[in-house]
Amino acid sequence: MRPSPSEEERDAVDELLELLNRFRGRIIDAHAHVGPDQRFLMWATPEAVLKVYGRYGIRAGLFSSTISLLAGAREGNRHVLEAARAHPGRILPLYSLNPLEPGCLEELERDAGSYVGVKFHPDYFHVQPSHPLALEALKRVAELGFPLMLHSYDGCAEAEKVARALPELKVVAYHMGGVRWRECLKRLSALENTLVEVSSSVAEPGMVAAAVEELGADRVLFGSDVPYLEPAVSLGKIFDANLGERDLENVLWRNAERLIGDALLRR
Amino acid sequence: MRFFDANAYVLPGDLAEQLERMRRVHAAYRIGGALISPLDAPGELIEPLLKALGEAPSSYCAAVPVGSLSALSVSERVKAVRVDPSAGREGLRLGAELAEREGLALLVSLRARWGGPSLSAPEVEPLLAEFGSTPIVISGANYGETVWLVTSASSLPHVHVEVSMYHQMDGLRLLAEKLGAGRLLFGTAYPLHPLPVAMFKLLFSGLDEEQLRAVAWGNAARVFRIEG
């Protein structure tokens, strides 16, 4: 038996690249955006995002449009659908649901077959998902069988409330609570209808390992948050977690496939 | 390709042990040197750090926090004066004057941790412009500073950017295009961030080979006067 190499002898860079190469072409990004955000000189055309995906071997992503966040949810939905039509199978569209925007539920019901999930951003929509108005809309989201992608930089306090109020709704806590990620894991641990997505500027060693330990590898998702973050950030966090092959497969694409499976069939 | 980590930290605890561990981990990632800053209790950590560095290769060196002036004279391993957000604008001026006088680089940390205290880039800009002969490295910039970097910092040729917290998509290519790859420095924020984040970010940045080598090592060697 060969002795295992010491830390000095192993080439961690080669190991990282080999590991990524093993999963190339299968990875699904559970959190992505197309569209401009001029505050940060981000333009994020579909082609620009897919070019970056190509470098990392990311097969597809679940996208909402930055226009949904910055200007108007329904306008952004038209934008993301256009991008999805131009890049079928690679840009999988999320319906951005602002419950305060007139006609949103009717539009979602009408176009349900076009989307794979629903995105909710409390900061940009200026309403919390646990507000009765929002909960009423999210109840319909659950009835339609969509998972909810919820921006969660609040330690997942809102994700917990929604998941408890609507146990039939799958709630994905985007950003895993942000700086308060430990609180997020504690809040969601016992709620089987929740998952966490790991993208954020918070990149502490041990975050992903803790999420897998607390929730199980079938409730943790790779997401990049392009164009706000380079995919390197989440992939680096995930590959630093020393997960086994099966857990990596779950985190990198199988969980996302399961999450949107019904919606994909509908499409 | 070899790498120089322009933003590594030691924290309160056994400095010799931390440094030894850092060098082992660095070696596995082809990192052959680092500019190390003491964090959280910088005044207390700088002397033990410099002592521990005596046992390390000459490419391992220190950024001395402003306020630890006595350390400057005790070690050739000091390559920069560091200003953290807690130093404020007065500390920034003190650090800049010190760096200029001692012929060192000035490391200006806009933030060390996400959600922690931060310095406002536009507020520090006049002082950066005033110290035009001192190499200045901005550390901790993120996408919130992108417009400032490409409109203001780009016109200050002595200002460089350490990229350990700069994560936006295609961001390194944008900065290379607007500032020049010769002004970007690879950094990891070890041990606060996982090393694979910085590695993936640089290796998949889309920069060409020459640019990559400059960002990985060459620029830091020039700015911090690293031997080897």
Side-chain angles (χ1 to χ4, degrees):
Chain A
M1 179 191 278
R2 265 178 47 195
S4 61
S6 67
E7 270 180 320
E8 287 96 328
E9 289 166 331
R10 58 185 269 263
D11 189 320
V13 179
D14 281 347
E15 286 177 11
L16 267 181
L17 296 176
E18 283 168 20
L19 197 55
L20 182 62
N21 277 338
R22 284 224 300 276
F23 300 110
R24 252 177 199 284
R26 290 182 285 176
I27 301 169
I28 297 178
D29 181 355
H31 184 176
H33 305 276
V34 284
D37 192 334
Q38 61 190 351
R39 296 173 301 171
F40 313 121
L41 305 185
M42 297 171 186
W43 313 115
T45 63
E47 292 73 26
V49 174
L50 292 178
K51 188 172 178 185
V52 170
Y53 273 11
R55 291 187 201 138
Y56 294 88
I58 298 171
R59 175 190 8 155
L62 278 53
F63 282 80
S64 60
S65 170
T66 56
I67 295 169
S68 293
L69 309 178
L70 303 171
R74 292 170 67 190
E75 186 62 31
N77 291 329
R78 282 190 279 279
H79 179 236
V80 79
L81 276 186
E82 187 183 316
R85 275 195 293 271
H87 301 280
R90 301 208 69 194
I91 292 183
L92 305 171
L94 299 172
Y95 184 85
S96 291
L97 175 68
N98 181 348
L100 303 181
E101 194 167 344
C104 63
L105 269 184
E106 291 77 6
E107 185 179 80
L108 175 60
E109 288 174 6
R110 188 192 69 210
D111 297 338
S114 302
Y115 294 97
V116 300
V118 166
K119 167 77 183 269
F120 192 106
H121 201 303
D123 297 353
Y124 286 111
F125 299 163
H126 299 281
V127 61
Q128 293 299 326
S130 63
H131 188 282
L133 264 175
L135 270 185
E136 192 57 35
L138 295 178
K139 191 176 170 192
R140 185 70 187 125
V141 169
E143 289 166 0
L144 289 168
F146 283 122
L148 173 69
M149 314 299 178
L150 177 60
H151 175 88
S152 301
Y153 249 92
D154 61 348
C156 298
E158 282 293 310
E160 181 189 8
K161 287 180 192 170
V162 173
R164 288 190 188 283
L166 300 170
E168 67 281 19
L169 179 66
K170 283 275 185 197
V171 180
V172 177
Y174 272 1
H175 307 302
M176 204 169 97
V179 176
R180 292 157 58 189
W181 59 270
R182 290 179 183 85
E183 176 188 338
C184 171
L185 297 180
K186 283 192 172 59
R187 283 182 181 277
L188 301 188
S189 178
L191 296 169
E192 293 293 332
N193 59 327
T194 62
L195 299 91
V196 293
E197 175 277 313
V198 303
S199 73
S200 80
S201 295
V202 182
E204 293 175 34
M207 290 174 76
V208 173
V212 169
E213 172 78 21
E214 189 83 34
L215 273 63
D218 57 350
R219 289 172 58 198
V220 180
L221 292 161
F222 160 69
S224 72
D225 199 14
V226 288
Y228 297 96
L229 297 170
E230 179 80 16
V233 182
S234 288
L235 287 172
K237 289 196 287 196
I238 289 167
F239 286 132
D240 190 57
N242 282 321
L243 302 180
E245 183 93 4
R246 187 72 190 168
D247 287 350
L248 275 173
E249 289 183 356
N250 276 330
V251 173
L252 290 172
W253 80 88
R254 287 194 193 282
N255 295 339
E257 272 185 348
R258 278 191 286 270
L259 189 69
I260 61 171
D262 291 343
L264 280 179
L265 284 176
R266 262 202 312 273
R267 297 181 80 215
Chain B
M1 190 184 321
R2 63 178 176 161
F3 301 85
F4 182 91
D5 185 348
N7 191 36
Y9 296 110
V10 286
L11 303 165
D14 184 330
L15 273 287
E17 188 183 302
Q18 287 183 60
L19 196 57
E20 179 60 27
R21 168 81 184 152
M22 181 190 295
R23 284 182 51 207
R24 281 203 312 273
V25 175
H26 271 172
Y29 282 90
R30 305 182 199 165
I31 297 171
L35 184 76
I36 304 169
S37 300
L39 198 66
D40 291 343
E44 295 165 28
L45 296 181
I46 188 62
E47 297 289 349
L49 170 61
L50 291 173
K51 187 177 172 197
L53 280 171
E55 305 296 317
S58 61
S59 54
Y60 276 80
C61 47
V64 172
V66 66
S68 304
L69 307 184
S70 61
L72 287 175
S73 58
V74 302
S75 173
E76 291 181 356
R77 295 299 180 92
V78 175
K79 301 293 185 184
V81 176
R82 179 183 177 96
V83 178
D84 281 303
S86 58
R89 273 191 281 180
E90 281 180 22
L92 179 63
R93 172 162 293 281
L94 188 61
E97 289 171 350
L98 194 57
E100 184 181 55
R101 192 173 71 230
E102 300 291 332
L104 298 169
L106 177 68
L107 184 74
V108 179
S109 173
L110 299 182
R111 60 184 66 74
R113 292 184 171 96
W114 188 258
S118 59
L119 272 172
S120 153
E123 279 188 38
V124 306
E125 185 183 332
L127 198 122
L128 302 185
E130 186 181 330
F131 287 83
S133 60
T134 298
I136 295 176
V137 177
I138 300 292
S139 175
N142 65 29
Y143 60 71
E145 278 88 30
T146 294
V147 171
W148 178 78
L149 288 170
V150 307
T151 58
S152 298
S154 63
S155 63
L156 302 170
H158 61 299
V159 172
H160 303 71
V161 184
E162 178 279 311
V163 298
S164 59
M165 290 184 79
Y166 192 75
H167 294 324
Q168 80 179 55
M169 188 187 89
D170 257 344
L172 297 192
R173 283 207 319 155
L174 176 72
L175 294 187
E177 184 187 319
K178 303 294 185 186
L179 280 76
R183 291 167 61 186
L184 307 183
L185 276 61
F186 172 80
T188 69
Y190 176 90
L192 304 183
H193 293 183
L195 282 174
V197 171
M199 281 294 163
F200 275 144
K201 199 168 63 182
L202 184 60
L203 295 175
F204 292 115
S205 62
L207 299 184
D208 65 33
E209 189 70 17
E210 189 181 344
Q211 291 174 317
L212 285 176
R213 287 183 191 284
V215 177
W217 184 283
N219 299 336
R222 188 181 70 249
V223 169
F224 300 125
R225 300 179 190 174
I226 306 296
E227 296 163 11

